[in-house]
Amino acid sequence: MSYRRALIPAVVGSLLLTVFLWWAGASDLALQLRGSTRVFDPQSTGELRRWLTPWSYDPPAVPQSGEAENPGLSGAGQYAGLYSTAMQIRFVAVFVFFLAGALLLVRRLPPARGRTPATLLALWAWGPVAGTLAVTVSAPWLIASRGHGSFRVLPQLASVVASSGPVVVFAALVTAPLTVLVAHTALKGTEPPPRREVPPRAARLAASAGTALVALSLVLLSYESVAARIQTSFDGGGLLSEPGDLLRTWLLLGGWSGPGTAPLGDWLLYRAADVLVLAVVWWALRLLPGLLTRPTVPAMAVGAVCATVLGLLASQALHMAVDDTSAVWGPVYVFSHLGEGVPAALTFGALAGLVSLATLRLAGGSDSGAVVE
């Protein structure tokens, strides 16, 4: 699929995702009305506000300590201006990042010849990634708008990076099928791109190598004692002090320990969710070289990131299915963990894609596969 044809659905999808997130952020004001707790219980209202806050244009209260430290500033106007700048950067960034990923995915993974489900899932998974990158880019302005930007910068940055929330997952869930529909229309009148038959042994080796890298984060780095060492062993000075939270955000796909005093059945159920992540990643990496029109470095990296995010979403869906806290915290709380771990999925998913492609080429399965008409 040419870039010119792929650009149309990519732009439409980016506009839709940006509009949905803007609308969600604007809805935060409705949850502040007095009657909102009559529609939702107080716990659900608070949880919904937490979801929508990263995309809300409603500025935070002016920090009095910031005014005292900076008497030359004009108080509310200065901090509100910084917050407004942060949100403008955030919405522009989410448009740009989703556009870049969607353009690559629609071009290399066009919805034709049995690729439509893969395109749909990949675009859905790329939505949370674009949201995470957008909040990361806008984080410096948002931190400064709180009035204590020089205090514990890296922990604040880690908190902002992990804050995109479940709202991006739901917005991308609506955006993805509409983008695929536009891509189907853009493909009309053209010859559907052929699929390549990748040697099964090479595909399995490549998938196993990529999955092993994801397992490094999910199994080894996420173990309780190792995660604690990552949290506390690195130190710095000044603005670079306390990097532990930021390292955990970008390196850990989960967190686990031994059964301890917990029931063995519950512990095994949570470990089954981790196994589900690896199974989804392996299966996606196994199919990805054959689904792509050409397994290039960017396409494999982005595809592996999407596969890792899909694995996380599948494990989080399993947790939701067995969650029994809705009676206490409200039904909205069940979805509160959707989209967690996306920064680490971006880190290890991209590396897994590169390792998978290198293994595929070494095994002779990159460009030597026969074309399936």
Side-chain angles (χ1 to χ4, degrees):
M1 190 176 186
S2 66
Y3 276 114
R4 182 177 60 84
R5 289 183 180 273
L7 184 62
I8 298 173
V11 170
V12 171
S14 302
L15 284 173
L16 286 172
L17 182 65
T18 306
V19 169
F20 287 146
L21 291 176
W22 176 86
W23 172 78
S27 302
D28 180 53
L29 295 175
L31 294 175
Q32 301 180 37
L33 299 177
R34 183 176 301 176
S36 61
T37 54
R38 299 176 185 174
V39 180
F40 303 102
D41 57 86
Q43 292 85 355
S44 296
T45 301
E47 189 64 21
L48 283 172
R49 288 202 63 191
R50 186 183 70 82
W51 292 10
L52 300 178
T53 296
W55 305 99
S56 173
Y57 261 97
D58 187 27
V62 177
Q64 299 299 324
S65 60
E67 292 184 353
E69 294 172 3
N70 301 279
L73 298 181
S74 60
Q78 293 285 347
Y79 289 108
L82 282 171
Y83 185 84
S84 178
T85 300
M87 298 312 298
Q88 291 169 11
I89 293 172
R90 182 164 297 185
F91 281 103
V92 171
V94 78
F95 175 87
V96 171
F97 283 122
F98 190 82
L99 174 64
L103 182 61
L104 179 63
L105 289 170
V106 173
R107 173 169 161 75
R108 292 299 181 192
L109 195 63
R113 291 190 182 275
R115 297 185 179 99
T116 301
T119 309
L120 180 65
L121 290 173
L123 289 171
W124 178 36
W126 185 250
V129 176
T132 295
L133 292 172
V135 298
T136 302
V137 168
S138 61
W141 289 267
L142 187 68
I143 293 172
S145 71
R146 296 170 178 172
H148 43 79
S150 61
F151 175 70
R152 303 186 76 229
V153 174
L154 296 184
Q156 289 188 76
L157 180 59
S159 176
V160 174
V161 168
S163 68
S164 59
V167 65
V168 187
V169 178
F170 290 118
L173 184 61
V174 180
T175 300
L178 296 176
T179 306
V180 169
L181 183 62
V182 176
H184 265 299
T185 305
L187 278 172
K188 285 184 177 179
T190 64
E191 182 68 22
R195 292 182 57 175
R196 292 184 175 275
E197 185 72 26
V198 180
R201 180 178 176 274
R204 287 194 296 267
L205 282 174
S208 299
T211 305
L213 198 60
V214 174
L216 173 67
S217 170
L218 187 64
V219 178
L220 179 61
L221 298 184
S222 296
Y223 184 63
E224 185 179 49
S225 59
V226 180
R229 187 171 295 273
I230 293 174
Q231 179 83 29
T232 58
S233 295
F234 299 93
D235 198 3
L239 294 177
L240 299 180
S241 62
E242 303 180 81
D245 290 337
L246 190 61
L247 289 173
R248 285 181 63 114
T249 300
W250 287 98
L251 296 179
L252 271 61
L253 281 166
W256 67 282
S257 61
T261 59
L264 182 60
D266 293 344
W267 184 84
L268 290 175
L269 188 59
Y270 275 87
R271 301 292 70 78
D274 294 338
V275 172
L276 180 61
V277 174
L278 299 178
V280 170
V281 170
W282 188 90
W283 186 250
L285 292 179
R286 162 71 177 82
L287 298 177
L288 189 60
L291 292 172
L292 294 172
T293 56
R294 185 184 174 193
T296 61
V297 170
M300 285 295 293
V302 171
V305 169
C306 293
T308 309
V309 173
L310 285 173
L312 286 176
L313 292 175
S315 70
Q316 290 158 7
L318 178 58
H319 287 162
M320 284 166 24
V322 298
D323 195 349
D324 58 353
T325 60
S326 60
V328 178
W329 296 102
V332 177
Y333 182 79
V334 176
F335 300 95
S336 62
H337 297 293
L338 271 180
E340 288 185 353
V342 172
L346 180 59
T347 301
F348 283 92
L351 293 175
L354 298 179
V355 169
S356 181
L357 180 60
T359 305
L360 189 67
R361 288 177 174 174
L362 289 174
S366 178
D367 297 315
S368 59
V371 174
V372 179
E373 297 293 345

